[in-house]
Amino acid sequence: MAESTKNKSYDGFTEEERAAMKERAQELKSGAKRRGSTGKAAKVDGESDVLAKIADLPEPDRGMAERIHAIVKESAPALEPKTWYGMPAYARDGKVVCFFQGSGKFKTRYSTLGFNDPAKLDDGDMWPVAYALTELTAEVEARIAELVSRAAGSQA
């Protein structure tokens, strides 16, 4: 019987998904402790958290995340760095606008740059909310800067 259960597919959460949920729970606990902080102190702590997470990423995700972090800071300085499910993210008024997800996080073929509802990058009846990243060329970096700038300028 043990052999038959071993061969069945599991429809629950993967090990990586469970780890991401645990990281998110820890982020929420840390955020609750910081609520008494001034906005500036929370932004500094968020920056430290993001830089630490980026440093822990394997290559090539680390290099990509470092570059995206620099692009976001330059293109949208009003967005606050924070971690979200253990990945670098950038928020406005506490709501995540965009985030980076390294390919190693869920063992996927490519890394992604994603945007949540507060970004309001609406374009007609259908538009992308996540972009696959395989290499950060000058053209890709310019597109990221434009998207992040638009996302940061939108109102929630």
Side-chain angles (χ1 to χ4, degrees):
M1 183 161 183
E3 186 62 35
S4 66
T5 57
K6 225 170 145 180
N7 293 331
K8 289 184 180 178
S9 66
Y10 179 68
D11 291 335
F13 295 110
T14 66
E15 184 179 320
E16 294 82 14
E17 290 167 332
R18 285 191 300 274
M21 288 186 286
K22 287 178 183 177
E23 284 182 287
R24 182 67 183 134
Q26 186 58 44
E27 292 162 1
L28 291 170
K29 286 179 187 176
S30 296
K33 290 177 185 175
R34 292 182 188 158
R35 282 198 185 108
S37 303
T38 65
K40 188 172 184 177
K43 188 172 183 174
V44 170
D45 288 339
E47 175 91 7
S48 298
D49 292 346
V50 165
L51 292 175
K53 285 296 181 180
I54 289 172
D56 287 344
L57 292 172
E59 286 296 349
D61 292 339
R62 181 183 321 124
M64 201 174 286
E66 287 170 345
R67 192 64 202 115
I68 288 172
H69 182 71
I71 292 168
V72 172
K73 286 185 60 136
E74 184 178 312
S75 303
L79 293 182
E80 299 173 9
K82 65 184 289 177
T83 57
W84 192 57
Y85 292 95
M87 289 277 100
Y90 306 88
R92 180 182 53 241
D93 300 327
K95 295 180 181 176
V96 172
V97 173
C98 61
F99 58 92
F100 173 79
Q101 182 177 295
S103 62
K105 182 71 172 181
F106 297 108
K107 299 178 184 167
T108 58
R109 189 170 62 119
Y110 46 78
S111 297
T112 56
L113 176 65
F115 294 88
N116 286 339
D117 289 353
K120 293 189 180 176
L121 294 175
D122 307 33
D123 183 18
D125 293 326
M126 186 172 97
W127 58 90
V129 294
Y131 295 82
L133 302 170
T134 57
E135 186 178 350
L136 292 183
T137 63
E139 183 180 331
V140 170
E141 288 185 8
R143 180 73 173 131
I144 290 170
E146 186 270 327
L147 285 167
V148 168
S149 180
R150 275 183 44 210
S154 5
Q155 298 303 311

